[in-house]
Amino acid sequence: MTAKQRIRVKAGSVRQAMPKASYLRDTRSAVISTRPSTLRASRDDIRVAWRRAAAIANDLVQNSGRLRGAVDQVIADTVGIELVLNPQPDLSRLGYDQKETVEFSRMVKRWWKRWAWNPRECDLRGKFTVPQMIDIALRWDMVYGEALGVMSYMTMAERKRYGLTSGTKVCMSPPTRLVQDTNEMEGLFQGVIHDPNGRPVAYRLEDKETGIRVKRDYRAHDADWRQQVIHVFDPMDATDVRGISRIAPGFRQHIQHEILVDATVQTAILQTVFAAALTSQAPSKDAFEALAAIEDDDLRGEMEDYFAASFDRAADSAINISGDPQVSHLAPGEELKLLSTGTPGPQFQPLWSALSRDMARAIGITYGGLTMDHSNSTYSSVRMENSSIWPVVMRRRERLAGPIAQAIYENALDEAIGEGRIPFKGGYRAFAANRDAVCWALWQGPAKPSADDGKSAKAASERLGNGTSTLAAECAELGYDPDEVFEQRVREHALYREAGMASPFERRAGGPSADSGEDIERKPGAE
């Protein structure tokens, strides 16, 4: 058996701790230990902080022109005027050839445009178009971290009452209606009821009926698995049930920014109003005590008369530094100096920019988009800024705005085919059996910002010329529907040719086209 190793330590000596590598090894100033923290599930963090975060975010957006503009910028970057529907149905198994599929998609786009832009048809309240609903959802995502909507259906009797054609309606509901109740035994967590597999089956909303608050459960899907509750948020963890305000991580920086600006403005105002110094040779209290100690009564009396006359003259003068500045006269021996303000100092702009960049990153827009400050921007910096933020914009479009539009589109298309407003081979039964394949669609938003349109267009031409891109991809990059672009070009090309004019869509290599009647080859030196 091996004996235990013994180490002799000299009496009175201190054994030094062996250095080791580990997480959270603190510094000599113990800076890590000054930041206590606890670990718990992400959804528990969200549940505890949701109402407080939503209240702060709502207050900041309502009282900050900068944040309100940032929200508008998020909407403009993500959806622009609207998300353009680009149907991608797979109808090959339903007897459709390529031409019939294109015609079906064209018919669906025309129908969707009319329905989505008619608030009486698409909105339960009859107030908002589908693009406006998506704008509202993105604003809610900024403040609440989630968006909520409920699908409903009007019967024929209700439609006749309002003079409507369709029965599918959307009712966007503020996320504050979704209760915060949690009951693990019931599968209820923060207002969402789940089945044993963790799938949402119902949402508990709080409604007002004749002034009384009533909680009611809304099924996530109907009996045919059509989506009935639209609930979108950007999860942080796999177990998350609700979202939280997108600007919550930037609360501290934004409030610090407001305090910095307020303090700087107030200091500047005070310095502007009081940036004047009045110097005087008038005697102090010690001087008057010295006069009292003079033994010569005549000299003391003359000195007192002199100061009395000076004070009488000073009492008649006035110095007013305000909105109506006035200096009538100064007392003898007084001098008025005007000083320059020292606020803001040289350290203000770097700190202001640092806080603004932090907030812009939390929101998901560029620094220039948040502050409108492009003073130090260059072509390269703008390109890098747009390139780094554009994937964030696309992700927000695909994960938040797109699912809302898709859910509304699927329900509305289901009714339009079911009631025969859009003809479909095999009827509604064939559609219902292939609903996912028929309803699949892409949603296109505005074009990626460009610092130089000429260079961007040249780059697109290069990609098309060397075969690394397609017209559909380039149209999508610009926010256009490739099918609509093609059809419009065909119509305009035909109009030019019928009028006997050269079509702008004809590719010309080195000169006019061969059928234009013009001589392409010219002799050297010919004019």
Side-chain angles (χ1 to χ4, degrees):
M1 182 175 181
T2 305
K4 182 178 180 181
Q5 184 180 3
R6 298 178 181 274
I7 301 175
R8 294 182 178 275
V9 180
K10 187 178 179 181
S13 63
V14 178
R15 187 177 179 182
Q16 298 292 331
M18 295 295 292
K20 61 181 181 179
S22 65
Y23 289 107
L24 303 180
R25 184 163 59 88
D26 215 337
T27 63
R28 293 183 181 275
S29 61
V31 65
I32 295 180
S33 62
T34 62
R35 190 181 182 93
S37 61
T38 59
L39 183 63
R40 58 184 174 185
S42 173
R43 68 177 189 170
D44 289 326
D45 279 337
I46 293 173
R47 179 176 59 86
V48 171
W50 193 89
R51 283 194 176 276
R52 177 63 173 159
I56 294 175
N58 193 49
D59 178 71
L60 292 180
V61 173
Q62 287 178 339
N63 294 279
S64 172
R66 188 167 83 145
L67 282 185
R68 172 58 191 267
V71 174
D72 292 340
Q73 188 66 52
V74 166
I75 296 173
D77 292 343
T78 307
V79 300
I81 299 175
E82 67 168 328
L83 287 181
V84 178
L85 170 65
N86 184 10
Q88 301 289 315
D90 182 6
L91 306 178
S92 57
R93 295 181 300 174
L94 298 173
Y96 283 79
D97 57 22
Q98 182 63 29
K99 183 177 180 181
E100 290 174 325
T101 300
V102 172
E103 181 58 33
F104 175 79
S105 298
R106 187 182 297 116
M107 184 189 312
V108 167
K109 284 191 285 188
R110 288 197 300 264
W111 156 81
W112 170 257
K113 198 78 172 181
R114 292 191 298 269
W115 186 85
W117 281 90
N118 187 347
R120 298 182 65 252
E121 291 289 348
C122 65
D123 185 21
L124 180 65
R125 303 180 180 93
K127 298 178 180 179
F128 307 117
T129 64
V130 171
Q132 286 177 307
M133 296 181 197
I134 296 178
D135 290 352
I136 293 171
L138 290 175
R139 289 191 176 95
W140 284 346
D141 175 67
M142 290 288 294
V143 174
Y144 305 112
E146 56 189 351
L148 183 68
V150 178
M151 302 297 304
S152 60
Y153 186 81
M154 283 188 174
T155 62
M156 291 300 298
E158 290 176 310
R159 290 186 233 175
K160 289 181 180 179
R161 174 185 173 189
Y162 293 105
L164 304 176
T165 301
S166 63
T168 301
K169 299 292 178 283
V170 189
C171 182
M172 297 301 292
S173 301
T176 51
R177 285 186 59 200
L178 192 56
V179 301
Q180 300 293 313
D181 300 350
T182 297
N183 186 343
E184 298 284 356
M185 299 297 294
E186 188 182 352
L188 174 67
F189 192 92
Q190 208 175 352
V192 183
I193 303 174
H194 301 81
D195 66 7
N197 292 322
R199 298 193 174 206
V201 295
Y203 295 81
R204 185 162 296 174
L205 306 184
E206 189 175 67
D207 300 325
K208 269 191 176 181
E209 295 181 359
T210 63
I212 301 175
R213 295 184 179 275
V214 179
K215 295 180 180 180
R216 182 176 288 107
D217 293 346
Y218 291 82
R219 302 291 300 177
H221 301 86
D222 63 8
D224 294 324
W225 291 104
R226 288 181 290 252
Q227 189 171 355
Q228 296 302 294
V229 176
I230 306 171
H231 183 224
V232 296
F233 63 94
D234 194 5
M236 180 67 67
D237 188 80
T239 61
D240 283 353
V241 176
R242 302 274 298 270
I244 196 167
S245 174
R246 187 168 296 274
I247 61 177
F251 282 165
R252 182 174 59 183
Q253 283 73 17
H254 181 78
I255 295 173
Q256 287 174 340
H257 177 273
E258 286 190 342
I259 293 174
L260 172 67
V261 173
D262 287 345
T264 303
V265 171
Q266 293 298 328
T267 304
I269 292 174
L270 290 174
Q271 288 182 348
T272 301
V273 173
F274 296 105
L278 181 64
T279 61
S280 174
Q281 298 178 0
S284 63
K285 177 182 178 182
D286 294 338
F288 284 103
E289 291 177 353
L291 287 177
I294 296 177
E295 296 181 355
D296 190 338
D297 296 338
D298 295 336
L299 177 60
R300 185 174 62 251
E302 291 177 1
M303 293 294 295
E304 290 176 352
D305 293 340
Y306 168 76
F307 285 120
S310 298
F311 291 151
D312 291 340
R313 185 66 185 89
D316 296 334
S317 63
I319 301 177
N320 182 19
I321 303 175
S322 61
D324 186 18
Q326 177 184 357
V327 180
S328 60
H329 194 274
L330 296 178
E334 293 181 340
E335 180 183 1
L336 180 65
K337 297 180 180 179
L338 298 179
L339 307 177
S340 61
T341 59
T343 300
Q347 72 281 358
F348 172 80
Q349 186 62 37
L351 182 57
W352 183 88
S353 299
L355 293 174
S356 299
R357 284 189 173 90
D358 191 283
M359 194 64 188
R361 200 59 179 162
I363 295 173
I365 59 176
T366 63
Y367 169 79
L370 175 66
T371 63
M372 303 304 292
D373 177 18
H374 305 281
S375 56
N376 296 321
S377 300
T378 63
Y379 174 76
S380 299
S381 67
V382 171
R383 278 183 56 86
M384 282 301 300
E385 196 174 43
N386 289 337
S387 297
S388 63
I389 208 65
W390 190 244
V392 178
V393 174
M394 294 298 295
R395 182 180 179 279
R396 186 164 52 226
R397 182 183 301 166
E398 295 294 332
R399 307 287 178 85
L400 297 175
I404 299 173
Q406 182 69 22
I408 299 173
Y409 166 69
E410 290 180 3
N411 279 271
L413 181 62
D414 186 286
E415 182 204 349
I417 293 178
E419 296 191 355
R421 289 191 290 274
I422 296 180
F424 193 80
K425 286 186 177 182
Y428 182 76
R429 179 175 297 180
F431 166 79
N434 299 272
R435 183 181 285 112
D436 291 341
V438 178
C439 291
W440 178 246
L442 300 177
W443 298 91
Q444 296 173 339
K448 177 181 178 180
S450 173
D452 190 320
D453 291 340
K455 292 181 179 179
S456 299
K458 185 177 180 180
S461 299
E462 289 291 333
R463 289 192 293 268
L464 290 172
N466 58 31
T468 57
S469 183
T470 63
L471 282 172
E474 297 301 330
C475 286
E477 186 75 10
L478 296 175
Y480 300 147
D481 185 338
D483 296 333
E484 291 183 359
V485 171
F486 173 77
E487 295 167 5
Q488 186 66 26
R489 290 185 62 173
V490 169
R491 287 194 295 269
E492 293 183 6
H493 176 71
L495 289 175
Y496 276 100
R497 297 299 298 271
E498 291 174 2
M501 301 173 63
S503 173
F505 304 109
E506 293 177 347
R507 298 294 295 246
R508 302 186 180 190
S513 59
D515 59 350
S516 63
E518 297 182 26
D519 190 5
I520 298 178
E521 296 184 358
R522 298 181 182 273
K523 295 181 180 180
E527 297 182 358

